[in-house]
Every structure is written in structure tokens, then in C-alpha cells.
Amino acid sequence: MYSMTICENLLIILLVSTSQRLQSPMYFFLGHLALSDIILVTNIAPKMLDDIIRGGSTIPYVGCLAQFYLYEGAVCAECFLLTAMSYDRYLAICRPLHYISVMSVKLRYSLIISSWLLSFMLGLITLLLVCGLDFCGSNVINHFFCDVAPLLELSCSDTTGMGIEIIVLSFPIILLPFLLIIISYVCIFITIFGISSTSGRQKTFSTCSSHLVVVSTYYGSMLIIYMVPYRGHSVPVNKFISLVYIVLTPLLNPVIYSLRNKEIQTSVLKAVQQGTQVSHGGPIIGGEVVPFRSTTDASVLQLKLHYGLLLLAQSLQHVQGGVPPGGHVAYEAVSGKAEVPL
């Protein structure tokens, strides 16, 4: 499951980064959502699997704090990114005539940068609060990762004030984004019911409903963990709910948001076809497969260029209608160098 999650999210990032068809703001946000999922799962899952195999393991205090900080940053980033994505869908469905002018390049980069910066700044605040605790008793964490609730259980300091601070911080991180997402989807559903086409209404409703189910599962589990006092639920329940948004949600996000999308599916098929053609022949230029001089030359290009140069040449030809006069595409497979003086 961990490998599948990493492969799904890496595929989304590679497709969004290389495909000219996937340059809209929605896919831009999906790429960053996939990145936050990779950080979250990679930070928690390997250590959790090691704990399961060995029946328990040790982690240094500094390592525990580092894991906690990365976890906080990734979780907060996903909360803010999901909010930005819901706003993007609201504009696309409810305000289609204003979508291009409102969701400009400047706005989308501002949303992404502010989401990441704010996430790790808020995570730093929580980390500093944890660093101020005194630990003088047991050092056994009754959890599969370093979360705030089990750390508070181990502390011999008075954690009442910190428990209240965690709940207060949960409002701008979890509750407010969740309310904004709910409002966005209410407006979206109202607009959907006004669509005259039955097939279009059903398709849009099905897509938005699946999005809302995943979002509600993610935020619902987060609300239970962080806005209910940590002594209000048992450790097994805490562990199970944590698994939902740490393991299940990153696994489902690429499927629900991306891999069901026809443009994503088309890009995947196109990439597979191009990879098959290249592996059997050579670079595709002007619609023709140019043969390599040897199998070794093909391996050098595949390993060092990762088809990036081929995709660049194809995209330039697609936009310009071919290689312009006086330009050329030169490949030096022996030395592993490539030159594109177009």
C-alpha cells in the first residue's frame, strides 16, 4: 500500500510537470497535493512498518521531533491545498466567465507559496510548544509515530494549557478550511442542479460528490483527533483514526482527484505509447521514429535525459508546426549530450 501510494502520487507529479495538456490551475494544485501526500506518508509509513515487523522500535528524541515537525507541516499544507482546490472548483463551475481572470498565475502561485509557508510556520509553533515540555518518566510512545497527544501523555509537565493551545490552533488549520470547503461545495451543488443537461449534471455531481467524501473523511478524522480533548478517546481509536488520514487519504487522493480524470488518463496513455515507441526505435521527431545508432546509445539517452528533451522537441513542434527554418535538433547519443538550438 505504501509503494502504491508513492507510485500514484509520483505519477501525478511527473504528468503535471511534463504534459502540456495538464497546465491548468487544477492540475497545478493537484501536483502540490501529491507532494504533500508523499511527504506525509514517507515520514510516517516506513517507521510504522518497521514497528510492525519488529514489534516495536526506538527513535532518537531529535528524530521524534523531526518526524513530528514534518508531519505537522505536511498535514497543514494538505488542509490549505484542499481549500485552494475547492476555491478553484468553485470559480470554474460557479463563475466560469471570470475563472481565467480571477485564477491568474499570480494568484495560484500566491496560494501555493502561502500554503506551504504558513503550514511549516504553524508547525514550528507546535514544535516549540512540545520542546518546552519536561519528560521525566516513561519514554515509551503508545503510538506508531510521534504525535502531540502521545507526547503530552509522556510529559510530566502540566499540559492543560498546551491542550487548549492545540485546540485553538486547530481552528485556523482544520475547522476554518473545512467550513470554507463546505461552503464552496454547497455553492457548487446549487449550480449543478441548475444545469439543464442531465448527463452533464450527473457527471459533475458524481465527481464533486466523490471529492467531498474524501475531504470530509480527511477533515472529520482530523477534527476528532485534535479538537476533541486527547484524553477523550482511547489510544486504539486514536491510532485507527490516524491511519485514515495518514495512509488511506493519500492512497485515495490520486484516484479520486486525478486518475479518474479523462485528461490524466489520456496523458498516461500518451506517455506509455511514447515510451514504447522510443524503447523500440528512437526519438520521435516530426512524427517519425529516428533510429538509434546502437542499444547502448538508446540506454544512455533514456537514463540521462528521461525523455525530457524528446517531450520538449515534440511540444515545440506542436506549437510551432514543426522545426523552424534554420533550426535543428541534434542528439549526441555517444557522449550523452543533446543540443536544441531552435
Side-chain angles (χ1 to χ4, degrees):
M1 186 178 290
Y2 168 66
S3 300
M4 186 182 297
T5 302
I6 296 298
C7 290
E8 287 176 351
N9 286 284
L10 280 178
L11 176 63
I12 300 303
I13 294 175
L14 290 174
L15 288 175
V16 172
S17 302
T18 58
S19 177
Q20 295 296 320
R21 300 168 58 92
L22 307 177
Q23 299 302 312
S24 65
M26 178 181 70
Y27 299 113
F28 181 71
F29 292 127
L30 282 174
H32 284 270
L33 181 67
L35 178 60
S36 68
D37 282 335
I38 289 175
I39 295 174
L40 177 61
V41 175
T42 304
N43 182 44
I44 303 296
K47 188 64 177 175
M48 179 184 68
L49 294 174
D50 181 63
D51 292 343
I52 294 173
I53 293 172
R54 298 187 179 186
S57 62
T58 60
I59 183 172
Y61 177 68
V62 175
C64 182
L65 294 180
Q67 184 188 57
F68 174 71
Y69 180 60
L70 287 175
Y71 161 78
E72 287 288 320
V75 165
C76 293
E78 184 149 348
C79 289
F80 297 141
L81 289 171
L82 288 172
T83 307
M85 289 170 59
S86 69
Y87 178 63
D88 174 75
R89 291 300 83 205
Y90 163 78
L91 289 176
I93 296 175
C94 301
R95 299 289 186 269
L97 298 179
H98 301 88
Y99 177 70
I100 296 178
S101 60
V102 175
M103 189 54 69
S104 60
V105 175
K106 181 180 179 181
L107 178 59
R108 78 178 78 158
Y109 274 99
S110 299
L111 290 173
I112 288 296
I113 294 173
S114 60
S115 295
W116 285 108
L117 287 180
L118 189 59
S119 299
F120 282 95
M121 287 176 61
L122 291 173
L124 183 61
I125 293 175
T126 311
L127 178 66
L128 294 176
L129 292 175
V130 172
C131 290
L133 298 175
D134 295 324
F135 298 95
C136 52
S138 173
N139 61 350
V140 179
I141 298 177
N142 191 10
H143 212 307
F144 55 84
F145 75 105
C146 295
D147 197 8
V148 62
L151 290 176
L152 292 179
E153 291 285 354
L154 292 180
S155 175
C156 53
S157 305
D158 183 10
T159 59
T160 305
M162 185 173 175
I164 296 174
E165 292 171 350
I166 296 298
I167 295 176
V168 171
L169 283 174
S170 299
F171 277 90
I173 297 174
I174 303 173
L175 186 59
L176 181 59
F178 185 49
L179 290 177
L180 292 175
I181 291 174
I182 293 298
I183 293 172
S184 298
Y185 274 97
V186 167
C187 296
I188 289 172
F189 285 134
I190 292 174
T191 304
I192 289 173
F193 289 132
I195 297 176
S196 57
S197 172
T198 304
S199 61
R201 182 169 62 247
Q202 291 177 347
K203 181 180 178 181
T204 309
F205 183 81
S206 174
T207 302
C208 292
S209 298
S210 58
H211 292 182
L212 188 58
V213 168
V214 174
V215 168
S216 300
T217 302
Y218 180 78
Y219 280 98
S221 57
M222 295 277 290
L223 288 170
I224 295 173
I225 291 292
Y226 293 105
M227 299 202 72
V228 175
Y230 65 92
R231 291 188 178 89
H233 41 78
S234 64
V235 173
V237 172
N238 195 329
K239 292 179 181 179
F240 176 77
I241 297 174
S242 298
L243 281 174
V244 171
Y245 67 86
I246 291 176
V247 177
L248 184 62
T249 303
L251 177 67
L252 294 179
N253 278 342
V255 178
I256 300 299
Y257 285 104
S258 304
L259 298 180
R260 294 175 60 197
N261 187 289
K262 287 187 176 180
E263 291 185 350
I264 292 283
Q265 294 174 359
T266 303
S267 298
V268 172
L269 292 175
K270 185 176 180 181
V272 171
Q273 291 172 356
Q274 290 176 348
T276 303
Q277 289 175 325
V278 170
S279 63
H280 286 82
I284 306 168
I285 301 177
E288 298 181 359
V289 178
V290 180
F292 289 111
R293 289 202 292 270
S294 68
T295 306
T296 305
D297 297 342
S299 300
V300 171
L301 275 177
Q302 289 176 4
L303 291 173
K304 290 195 174 183
L305 299 182
H306 298 284
Y307 307 121
L309 190 57
L310 304 181
L311 294 175
L312 173 61
Q314 283 185 297
S315 62
L316 288 173
Q317 288 175 343
H318 177 72
V319 174
Q320 299 175 357
V323 179
H328 64 280
V329 179
Y331 294 88
E332 186 63 34
V334 175
S335 62
K337 298 178 180 178
E339 179 186 3
V340 193
L342 300 177

